[in-house]
Amino acid sequence: MAAALALAERGRGLTAPNPNVGCVIVSDGRVVGRGWTQAGGRPHAEAMALGEAGEAAREATAYVTLEPCAHEGGRGPACAPALAEAGLARVVIGIGDPDPRTDGEGIAHLERAGVAVTRNVLAAQARRSMAGFLTRRALGRPHVTLKLAASLDGRIALASGESRWITGPEARAHAHLERARHEAILVGRGTLAADSPSLDVRLPGLEARSPRRVVLTSAGAPDGWMAIAAPDDVAALESVDHLLVEGGAKTAAGFLAADLVDRLLLYRAPILIGEGIAALGDIGLASLDAAHGRWRLADARALGSNRLDVYERARASSGKVDTTFPPG
Amino acid sequence: MAAALALAERGRGLTAPNPNVGCVIVSDGRVVGRGWTQAGGRPHAEAMALGEAGEAAREATAYVTLEPCAHEGGRGPACAPALAEAGLARVVIGIGDPDPRTDGEGIAHLERAGVAVTRNVLAAQARRSMAGFLTRRALGRPHVTLKLAASLDGRIALASGESRWITGPEARAHAHLERARHEAILVGRGTLAADSPSLDVRLPGLEARSPRRVVLTSAGAPDGWMAIAAPDDVAALESVDHLLVEGGAKTAAGFLAADLVDRLLLYRAPILIGEGIAALGDIGLASLDAAHGRWRLADARALGSNRLDVYERARASSGKVDTTFPPG
């Protein structure tokens, strides 16, 4: 399943509104098929893996990060019947598909066909892997990541505006990799005016993965950009399930004030700036009590002399799609 | 030597102007004596360990974090002759003693007496362990630690001034433990006026380890406090080799602007505050170039849901006492 989750990452930022799924087929201890949702959503991961496995799929085990679909999408056959027809002995699944056209029906189809099904395997990782798809299903909007690149004392620029560079080359390369994992990147009006950022992915081999560009403004969008007037309007961004918010401080604060941030990328350079420009403007915090309990550390790593901490928004479970199968 | 370094920590904050040394005596694979510099500087670590070992010191090996002294202090016999007379076969030493009355003479005495000497063992850790003593020798002032307790975005309070609590109980307990490792704690005039902080060590069993209190002010000191008028005046604080600066933002910035901070304790709570009070005021930074290369991560750990990062000032070697023996 870990291998299937790694394959699923290849589709992140390319498959909306489809989930980025990964699939590995194993026969007699050997990997005979690998697949991941292709750009635009087709073929599905299972179809690609079945194609690679061919006859070797018979009596094999498939590991799929999401419940195989039970519904034909008009652009290809449904995956649960395809897995059954290929003669798989067993299908191991990460999480259930909340799409009402599948939602348990994929599993039911497999079991009716005599395929053994195992559920909830690495479910937490699978949920994280498909955060864009699940957030769109649960909250009707993209999964939003906010990037902050700051000094140890939380400054993103000197008082003079000088900000190149606070972070080091490894951290900047990582930030470009994160861009490639999102369908769109958003900046504020001020950042657009000051920096005219290209927001492209400047990493060898990934140049074509540069996401669409969005600006937060009530004025119109310049050529090559989309515009939204308020943070809440991200819901209307079509085929965007992963949105990366890159700043500036006022835009970041606007998304936080609207509680629209699901994930926080905090790049920190080992420098102190003192008086300067703060990472965040007013987020509407009334008391310290209200600030606690919202963020949970999900990852921490060194990037050269810089550090990256990844925090995830800890939301009440009511805001989640239930993707866990009841024990059974 | 690691055990000797652990013992040495027991004296940190209690022995100035003497170094906090640790000593372990091992005979036939068994620890027969342990010692560390006692409060006020006497007995020395070696004398205490020799007292515990008694006759078992004969033909044994002593591990000492600092070169044993060659000079009688008037308050006790010199340690190098005492080790030789006790019949030690071997003495393993962390770093050399820069005190001109010893400075190699301790080693020379041991070798003349036929004791085998090994040098430079865990020297970097030994230097860190005796940072207070070495900084006083090299720079004529205490080793200064600056504590910052902030949100992820570098705020130490809401705009309203509310700051209780940003960090969690584990982080606050750790900060109290750090207090016990310093001879004195300093705050700014504003913090004294606003909070009347007691700056004591509120940890069971360590209440008696509460350091002296210093305020940065040109006005007089209140009862129970010392006062200095400028950061540079820390040099004049007698019997203070470890000074902890606890804030506020202006005081912290003053010490950084004067390049008087050797170590940075950065406690960070997993919260965002947005508009609020910044951790640091103006530190006199002219450009980003000048900010880089000054701080090196020395430790990082979780304290409950909070994180502690410890950074050390990376100084040009010219500012250091040379405590490394030439290879020989």
Side-chain angles (χ1 to χ4, degrees):
Chain A
M1 184 61 78
L5 285 163
L7 291 173
E9 284 305 299
R10 299 188 180 188
R12 191 196 284 258
L14 294 172
T15 64
N18 293 271
N20 54 304
V21 179
C23 178
V24 172
I25 299 175
V26 176
S27 173
D28 281 336
R30 273 183 52 237
V31 171
V32 295
R34 302 178 314 149
W36 58 96
T37 316
Q38 296 295 294
R42 291 294 184 290
H44 277 185
E46 299 93 320
M48 180 177 169
L50 284 173
E52 188 177 313
E55 272 307 303
R58 201 153 296 279
E59 296 303 316
T61 297
Y63 297 83
V64 198
T65 59
L66 182 73
E67 179 185 4
C69 59
H71 55 284
E72 291 204 22
R75 291 198 288 155
C79 292
L83 288 164
E85 279 161 33
L88 268 291
R90 184 164 165 248
V91 175
V92 179
I93 299 174
I95 56 173
D97 184 351
D99 187 312
R101 295 169 298 174
T102 292
D103 196 13
E105 194 44 46
I107 307 247
H109 185 100
L110 288 167
E111 290 187 329
R112 279 196 304 269
V115 180
V117 175
T118 306
R119 308 135 196 246
N120 298 331
V121 173
L122 298 188
Q125 292 92 318
R127 260 193 300 280
R128 186 170 287 159
S129 163
M130 287 173 280
F133 172 73
L134 296 174
T135 304
R136 175 65 79 176
R137 288 274 154 187
L139 304 173
R141 61 162 178 85
H143 185 263
V144 177
T145 295
L146 171 63
K147 171 198 147 187
L148 299 174
S151 64
L152 295 178
D153 54 328
R155 300 301 194 181
I156 58 171
L158 302 199
S160 66
E162 184 187 353
S163 66
R164 291 197 176 164
W165 294 105
I166 288 177
T167 52
E170 299 87 348
R172 297 203 300 277
H174 189 278
H176 277 257
L177 185 60
E178 279 287 339
R179 283 184 177 173
R181 293 173 177 157
H182 291 77
E183 281 96 4
I185 308 182
L186 180 144
V187 297
R189 189 181 46 176
T191 300
L192 175 61
D195 301 345
S196 303
S198 57
L199 304 184
D200 52 353
V201 177
R202 271 158 273 164
L203 292 174
L206 286 176
E207 298 86 348
R209 294 287 297 264
S210 296
R212 280 173 282 159
R213 300 181 294 176
V214 186
V215 57
L216 180 65
T217 179
S218 45
D223 265 6
W225 289 72
M226 297 185 286
I228 60 173
D232 279 321
D233 295 344
V234 294
L237 291 171
E238 269 182 44
S239 292
V240 175
D241 282 356
H242 303 87
L243 177 71
L244 179 63
V245 176
E246 289 214 5
K250 201 174 156 188
T251 298
F255 274 82
L256 287 164
D259 196 14
L260 284 169
V261 178
D262 304 297
R263 182 167 167 262
L264 195 61
L265 293 173
L266 191 54
Y267 298 93
R268 283 175 306 118
I271 66 172
L272 296 172
I273 289 182
E275 212 125 271
I277 298 172
L280 294 178
D282 185 5
I283 63 170
L285 191 67
S287 76
L288 270 176
D289 274 352
H292 286 283
R294 297 170 78 88
W295 299 98
R296 192 171 40 210
L297 188 69
D299 190 21
R301 59 178 71 189
L303 295 168
S305 70
N306 292 190
R307 305 280 305 172
L308 167 63
D309 289 341
V310 181
Y311 285 89
E312 289 177 350
R313 179 77 171 88
R315 290 188 197 281
S317 55
S318 60
K320 273 189 196 156
V321 173
D322 186 7
T323 54
T324 309
F325 302 101
Chain B
M1 186 61 78
L5 285 164
L7 291 175
E9 284 305 300
R10 300 188 180 188
R12 192 196 283 260
L14 293 173
T15 64
N18 293 271
N20 53 306
V21 179
C23 177
V24 172
I25 299 176
V26 176
S27 174
D28 281 336
R30 273 183 52 238
V31 171
V32 295
R34 303 178 312 149
W36 58 96
T37 316
Q38 296 295 296
R42 290 294 183 290
H44 278 185
E46 300 93 320
M48 181 178 169
L50 284 173
E52 188 177 313
E55 272 305 304
R58 201 152 298 278
E59 295 303 316
T61 298
Y63 297 84
V64 197
T65 60
L66 183 73
E67 179 185 4
C69 59
H71 55 283
E72 292 204 21
R75 291 200 288 156
C79 292
L83 288 164
E85 279 160 33
L88 269 293
R90 185 163 163 250
V91 174
V92 179
I93 298 174
I95 57 174
D97 184 352
D99 187 312
R101 294 168 298 174
T102 293
D103 196 13
E105 193 45 46
I107 307 249
H109 186 99
L110 288 168
E111 290 187 329
R112 278 196 304 270
V115 181
V117 175
T118 306
R119 306 134 199 248
N120 297 332
V121 173
L122 299 189
Q125 290 92 319
R127 260 193 299 281
R128 186 171 287 158
S129 164
M130 286 171 281
F133 172 73
L134 296 173
T135 304
R136 175 65 79 175
R137 288 274 155 189
L139 304 173
R141 60 162 178 84
H143 185 263
V144 176
T145 295
L146 172 63
K147 172 199 148 187
L148 298 174
S151 64
L152 296 178
D153 55 328
R155 301 301 195 179
I156 58 171
L158 302 198
S160 66
E162 185 187 353
S163 66
R164 295 202 173 158
W165 295 104
I166 288 177
T167 50
E170 298 88 348
R172 297 203 300 275
H174 189 277
H176 277 257
L177 186 60
E178 279 288 340
R179 284 183 175 173
R181 293 173 176 155
H182 292 77
E183 280 95 7
I185 309 182
L186 179 144
V187 297
R189 189 181 44 175
T191 299
L192 175 60
D195 301 345
S196 303
S198 58
L199 303 184
D200 51 355
V201 178
R202 270 158 275 163
L203 292 173
L206 287 176
E207 298 86 350
R209 292 288 296 263
S210 298
R212 279 172 284 160
R213 300 182 294 177
V214 186
V215 58
L216 181 65
T217 178
S218 44
D223 264 6
W225 290 71
M226 296 185 286
I228 61 173
D232 278 321
D233 296 343
V234 293
L237 291 170
E238 268 181 46
S239 292
V240 175
D241 283 356
H242 303 87
L243 177 71
L244 179 63
V245 176
E246 290 214 5
K250 201 173 155 191
T251 298
F255 274 83
L256 287 163
D259 196 14
L260 284 170
V261 179
D262 304 296
R263 181 167 168 262
L264 195 60
L265 293 173
L266 191 54
Y267 298 93
R268 283 175 306 119
I271 66 172
L272 296 172
I273 289 182
E275 213 125 272
I277 296 173
L280 294 178
D282 185 6
I283 64 171
L285 191 67
S287 75
L288 270 176
D289 274 353
H292 285 283
R294 297 170 77 87
W295 299 98
R296 191 171 42 210
L297 189 68
D299 190 20
R301 60 179 70 190
L303 295 169
S305 69
N306 293 189
R307 307 278 305 170
L308 167 64
D309 288 341
V310 181
Y311 285 88
E312 288 176 350
R313 179 79 171 86
R315 290 187 197 281
S317 56
S318 60
K320 273 189 197 156
V321 173
D322 187 5
T323 53
T324 309
F325 303 101

